[in-house]
Structures are given as C-alpha cells and as structure tokens.
Amino acid sequence: MKQPSITSLEILSKLIAFDTTSREPNKQLIHYVETLLGEHGIQTTIIPNEDGSKANLYCTVGPTDRPGVMLSGHTDVVPVDGQAWTRPAFEMTESDNRVYGRGTTDMKGFVACSLAAMINASRSTLATPMHLGLSYDEEIGCVGVQSLLEMLRLAPVKPAMCIVGEPTSMRVATRHKGKMSILVRCIGREGHSALAPNALNAIHLACDLVQVIRDAQLAIQQASQDAGDPSEIPYTTIHVGRIVTDQALNIVPNLCTVNFEIRYPADTHPEELLDSIKQSASNIVAAAREIAPEADMQFSILNAYPSLHTPDESPVVQFVKTLVGANTTTYVAFGTEGGLFSEKVGIPTVVCGPGSMDQGHKPDEYIELEQLDQCDTMLNKLVEFLAESTLDQIPS
C-alpha cells in the first residue's frame, strides 16, 4: 500500500500550532483539516455551533451505503495558564525521541495519525468504509460532541464500531466512569461583619454542604473497602472543585456557589446519590431559614456523560485487539466521549490511542515518537483490512 503523502508528524506540527484551548474557537483548525482532506478528494461535513466559532467535523472514505469503523477525537485542549512551560506550548518541539506541545498526548497525536490514515485510505478502494469524527469542547464535559451525536443518530447508516483515540499507551480500554457536574447556589443573608450573627453567611452554608459531600464519599469508600474490591478506585467519587464568592471581607456574603462532580462506574445511578445529597441539603436549609427565611441551596446539573463498559467479547474489542496485537484489555480513569457514542447512538466503542495521560494536562506535555509510530501501524492495518474485507469478516 502506498504511503500517505503527508506524515502524521507533519500534521501534528500543524495541529499544535492552533490554540484550541476550550475557551477559544477551533474553526481555524477545522478549516485546515477540511482543506487538507479536500486536497485528497475527501468530502467533509462541518457542524458549526450557534455563532460559527467552533465546529465538529465528520467524513467518510469508502462506500457510504454500509457501516464502517469510526475514528473519534476531540480538537480542544486544556489551558496552559499558570503552568511552567520550558518549551513553546503551541509549537511542536522534537527532542530525545519525544515531541512536545499542548495536545501532543491529549489528543492531537491521535487526530494527526487519523488524518494521515484517512488520506492513506483515500488512495485505496475500500470494501468497508472508514469514518472520522472530530469534536470540540470535550475538555469541559463532552459538550460540543452533542450535535455530532444527533447527526449520527439520524443518519440512515451509522458506523458499526468506534475507536476513541484518547491516550491509553495503545492498550485497548473498554471501561471508564461516567461523570455528572453540579453547581449549587448557596443563598444566605448579607450583613455587616461586625453584626455577623444577625446575618446568614452563604460560605458557611457551602461548608455545611461540603461536609455532607465528604461524609457521603467516606461512606461509599468504606462500603467499597468492605466489599474487598481490589481495583483502583472502583467506587463512585465525589469531588468539590470550586467554592466561589465575591464580597469584601467586612460583608457577610449572601451568595456562594459550589461546584462538585460525581464520577461513577457502570451500573451505578448517580441520580440516587445526588438525591441523597439534596435531602441532606434541605435539612441544612430548613435550619438556616429559622435565621433567614430566604436561605436556600439551588442545585443545577451543568453537564453529564455516561460511563463506558463494552463487553470483552464484543466484536469491536476483539477487532481492535488484533490491530494492536493485544491479548488483554484495560480501563481508563478519565472520561471520554466513548460512552456517548455507545449509549446515545448505539455504536460499540473502545478507547485506544497513543501516549499516556500521565503527560496530559501538564506543562511540557509530550508524546513519545514510538507511540505515534505504533498508532500509525495500527491505523495502517485498519486501512489494509477495510480495503480487503467486509464487515461480516471482522473477527468476533
């Protein structure tokens, strides 16, 4: 099979140069990808957000009347603010068999390999199609992918399986937890700090709520330990990430917000845990209203995505294991869009990509060149298979 006219490393250099931090637009990167694929005869579907500053991208190489294998990646990256980078964050630097730059591991490395593979596939006649889906705003809770999911849900022909290329060191991951992000507005009564007992401090309400969350976490953890499960953090976790207020020190604050998240394994219902926390919060509010009738705790779910739990006997698991030469599967601690493809669209999904999340979200983020080579090899094998085989020949 002919080699692609542009390498994954060359593409990665271009991708890193786009500052696609989630707070920034990704339209320049999407335009680059659209142009690059178009030069090789690959038509793309662009799904913009409301103001056109961001977009998802979807394309297919091969026949469009039958399901194929989808490669999935997100285009956004986390911020570099406050991090002690010693190399340019948005410029690829190669050193000691590594390439450095924001997104090298999470997850522009896989996106680059996927684009090279799509170009490679376009130079063959595929018996089974290969699809590519790129999303935005994954890093803030798998938000942007929703419009891509809706397009796939309504499509007459959906992909038969999906490989989400988050960094797994090229191991085949079949499981990860789901996540629910919650905002709570704690409402008290303002007052002069010299007369604090006559007011109701919203921060104190927030602290009472945090104690409820900590107690709930401890109970969950103890129950899991009692069950003797040896897995790494197999139980639901509750994490308070932000407590925010904006008042002068000599004012008793009447508003404080608390952000917390629930990360939960498959077959767990986070709504039940949230309801329990809300019930405890209502007891706190009832006592607070004896001082200030306006006291309240208002809960809002900001975003959520489901867990992923693809059975090991699933064809997608067996197939991707053959592509990477693996005998076993693993799980990842972080969340991905994989559970959404599986639950919302019914596309069996695994997570498998180059690099390790040990390097993700850190200053001087890097990926090993060997990992990119392994990913290129896997995707070249995929292209070769799709050129020669139909879906019913995929190992099961």
Side-chain angles (χ1 to χ4, degrees), residues 74-103:
H74 64 79
T75 61
D76 59 317
V77 297
V78 295
V80 300
D81 309 54
Q83 294 188 336
W85 284 73
T86 64
R87 297 170 171 83
F90 297 103
E91 177 183 328
M92 192 177 80
T93 305
E94 185 173 345
S95 176
D96 299 325
N97 295 315
R98 298 171 175 173
V99 288
Y100 293 82
R102 176 55 90 215

Side-chain angles (χ1 to χ4, degrees), residues 182-188 200-210 213 239-247 253-261 296-300 302:
I182 300 102
L183 171 71
V184 186
R185 286 169 47 89
C186 299
I187 299 172
L200 179 64
N201 194 316
I203 295 176
H204 293 178
L205 287 178
C207 291
D208 291 342
L209 174 63
V210 171
I213 291 172
H239 159 72
V240 178
R242 284 170 59 88
I243 299 178
V244 179
T245 190
D246 185 20
Q247 286 289 5
N254 69 340
L255 177 64
C256 179
T257 60
V258 178
N259 287 84
F260 71 96
E261 66 174 28
D296 203 1
M297 290 188 191
Q298 300 170 347
F299 286 71
S300 302
L302 298 180

Side-chain angles (χ1 to χ4, degrees), residues 40 42 58 121 149 152 157 224 306 364:
H40 296 271
I42 304 173
Y58 185 77
L149 294 170
L152 290 172
V157 180
S224 177
D364 291 343

Side-chain angles (χ1 to χ4, degrees), residues 331-372:
Y331 68 94
V332 290
F334 53 87
T336 78
E337 294 170 338
L340 288 165
F341 289 117
S342 177
E343 181 176 295
K344 302 297 184 182
V345 193
I347 303 173
T349 300
V350 296
V351 183
C352 182
S356 167
M357 199 56 86
D358 289 343
Q359 281 76 55
H361 296 206
K362 293 181 179 179
D364 291 343
E365 179 181 348
Y366 69 85
I367 192 169
E368 303 279 355
L369 287 173
E370 181 185 9
Q371 285 286 299
L372 292 174

Side-chain angles (χ1 to χ4, degrees), residues 49-289:
N49 66 350
E50 289 185 1
D51 64 13
S53 63
K54 299 183 180 184
N56 297 316
L57 180 147
Y58 185 77
C59 62
T60 297
V61 172
T64 58
D65 61 345
R66 66 197 69 173
V69 178
M70 183 170 81
L71 308 177
S72 167
H74 64 79
T75 61
D76 59 317
V77 297
V78 295
V80 300
D81 309 54
Q83 294 188 336
W85 284 73
T86 64
R87 297 170 171 83
F90 297 103
E91 177 183 328
M92 192 177 80
T93 305
E94 185 173 345
S95 176
D96 299 325
N97 295 315
R98 298 171 175 173
V99 288
Y100 293 82
R102 176 55 90 215
T104 46
T105 282
D106 186 17
M107 58 178 296
K108 290 180 177 178
F110 178 79
V111 172
C113 292
S114 297
L115 290 169
M118 294 294 285
I119 293 169
N120 190 12
S122 72
R123 304 169 70 184
S124 302
T125 301
L126 300 188
T128 300
M130 186 159 74
H131 314 282
L132 174 65
L134 301 181
S135 68
Y136 64 91
D137 284 359
E138 186 272 350
E139 294 288 4
I140 59 174
C142 300
V143 176
V145 74
Q146 299 298 327
S147 59
L148 176 59
L149 294 170
E150 182 64 11
M151 187 201 78
L152 290 172
R153 189 182 68 81
L154 297 174
V157 180
K158 303 175 181 62
M161 57 182 64
C162 176
I163 304 171
V164 174
E166 293 276 10
T168 65
S169 300
M170 296 305 298
R171 292 176 292 177
V172 182
T174 60
R175 293 175 290 140
H176 67 65
K177 291 179 179 177
K179 176 182 170 181
M180 177 184 291
S181 300
I182 300 102
L183 171 71
V184 186
R185 286 169 47 89
C186 299
I187 299 172
R189 174 185 290 174
E190 66 266 56
H192 195 293
S193 61
L195 303 172
N198 297 333
L200 179 64
N201 194 316
I203 295 176
H204 293 178
L205 287 178
C207 291
D208 291 342
L209 174 63
V210 171
Q211 188 60 57
V212 167
I213 291 172
R214 294 184 65 186
D215 289 345
Q217 178 67 93
L218 181 60
I220 292 169
Q221 187 171 350
Q222 289 176 339
S224 177
Q225 290 173 344
D226 292 343
D229 191 326
S231 302
E232 181 183 2
I233 315 182
Y235 47 83
T236 296
T237 59
I238 324 172
H239 159 72
V240 178
R242 284 170 59 88
I243 299 178
V244 179
T245 190
D246 185 20
Q247 286 289 5
L249 180 59
N250 61 352
I251 300 176
V252 177
N254 69 340
L255 177 64
C256 179
T257 60
V258 178
N259 287 84
F260 71 96
E261 66 174 28
I262 301 173
R263 292 182 182 260
Y264 57 95
D267 301 323
T268 302
H269 302 288
E271 297 84 3
E272 295 178 0
L273 176 57
L274 181 58
D275 286 344
S276 175
I277 293 172
K278 286 181 177 180
Q279 181 58 53
S280 297
S282 69
N283 295 335
I284 295 170
V285 169
R289 284 179 175 169

